[in-house]
Amino acid sequence: MSGIVTQEGVAAWLRAFAEAVAKNREYLTELDAAIGDADHGSNMDRGMQAVVGRIDGPSAGTAGGGVGALLKLVGMTLVSTVGGAAGPLYGTFFLQVGKAAGEATELTLAQWAAALEAGVKGVQMRGKAVLEDKTMVDTLMPAAQALSAAAASGAGLAEALRQAAAAAEQGMKATIPLIARKGRASYLGERSAGHQDPGATSSWLLLQTAAETLAAGAPAEVPGA
Ligand code: ADP
Ligand code: MG
């Protein structure tokens, strides 16, 4: 048994991400002040508070809808409540992960990794960013790839999520020296170098909280089983 991603686990992840965004609201805004318009923290906080309100609200109705319905609700909420570049991009990410996850209430690590890859593809289709454009893609793409690689090598869920979070952190830090080629920061040209990308940073929080929550409700991993 290598562990499964459950609907409860996904809901716990979303709550933890919302909490991490709220805690880091000022930090994300400071990063955006340096190379953007100082609204990434407030954008993401507004969106994730709305998400928590929807998934835990009286009309949530996600209990029977599976992981896909839950994540599509998240995507639609972000698209409708977050302005700027990040809203539609994170919205697309969750919509595509949800579409790939489908109606299942539990996903294997390999299925979860494939769903995340679909989410990253969605972000790239929408925003046209490639690796090293200094965006959230620099965090999301290596993380999804690390998750798939871990799944393919037979790693357990907790270990795979740790590897994905480590790849995310590395990708985030790697944005510091880059010159932005997409989004508002690209208007700064060379002056965008030397600053960590705000979207890459919120995406790291997303992968970090996944490692902290997604494996928690899964059946225990039996070494060598
Ligand atoms: P805005 O730039 O409209 O103010 P935010 O400040 O909320 O929106 O989000 C900025 C972040 O969005 C950037 O740090 C970057 O990571 C991400 N971003 C911007 N444009 C793109 C794009 N085309 N593809 C992927 N990510 C992007
Ligand atoms: Mg901004």
Side-chain angles (χ1 to χ4, degrees):
M1 187 69 218
S2 62
I4 47 167
V5 174
T6 65
Q7 191 167 339
E8 293 72 32
V10 171
W13 170 44
L14 294 166
R15 287 186 205 102
F17 179 51
E19 207 174 298
V21 166
K23 255 191 214 143
N24 289 280
R25 185 188 151 111
E26 298 312 319
Y27 174 51
L28 294 173
T29 288
E30 272 168 38
L31 292 173
D32 197 30
I35 57 170
D37 57 354
D39 65 355
H40 190 60
S42 52
N43 281 344
M44 293 303 295
D45 190 31
R46 181 172 61 253
M48 289 311 298
Q49 290 309 317
V51 163
V52 170
R54 293 284 285 277
I55 65 174
D56 290 334
S59 60
T62 53
V67 173
L70 176 59
L71 291 171
K72 283 183 201 166
L73 177 69
V74 173
M76 288 186 298
T77 304
L78 290 177
V79 168
S80 62
T81 57
V82 184
L89 289 165
Y90 272 109
T92 300
F93 174 78
F94 283 108
L95 285 169
Q96 292 303 320
V97 176
K99 197 170 157 191
E103 290 174 14
T105 52
E106 295 183 347
L107 282 86
T108 64
L109 169 57
Q111 288 170 330
W112 182 246
L116 280 207
E117 298 258 21
V120 178
K121 270 208 191 85
V123 171
Q124 292 198 278
M125 293 272 285
R126 177 106 199 192
K128 308 279 182 255
V130 296
L131 210 59
E132 303 196 334
D133 279 350
K134 196 178 180 100
T135 71
M136 59 177 72
V137 169
D138 291 338
T139 297
L140 294 174
M141 200 166 147
Q145 285 170 351
L147 201 63
S148 291
S153 76
L157 179 60
E159 176 56 25
L161 291 167
R162 269 195 295 277
Q163 289 179 16
E169 183 174 12
Q170 214 177 3
M172 168 186 79
K173 288 183 174 159
T175 64
I176 296 173
L178 295 174
I179 294 170
R181 289 189 294 232
K182 283 281 179 296
R184 231 174 251 287
S186 66
Y187 308 156
L188 291 180
E190 289 185 0
R191 280 183 295 139
S192 64
H195 302 279
Q196 187 168 299
D197 180 63
T201 308
S202 55
S203 287
W204 170 67
L205 294 174
L206 185 68
L207 274 301
Q208 179 65 27
T209 50
E212 288 164 2
T213 55
L214 273 181
E221 287 165 20
V222 183

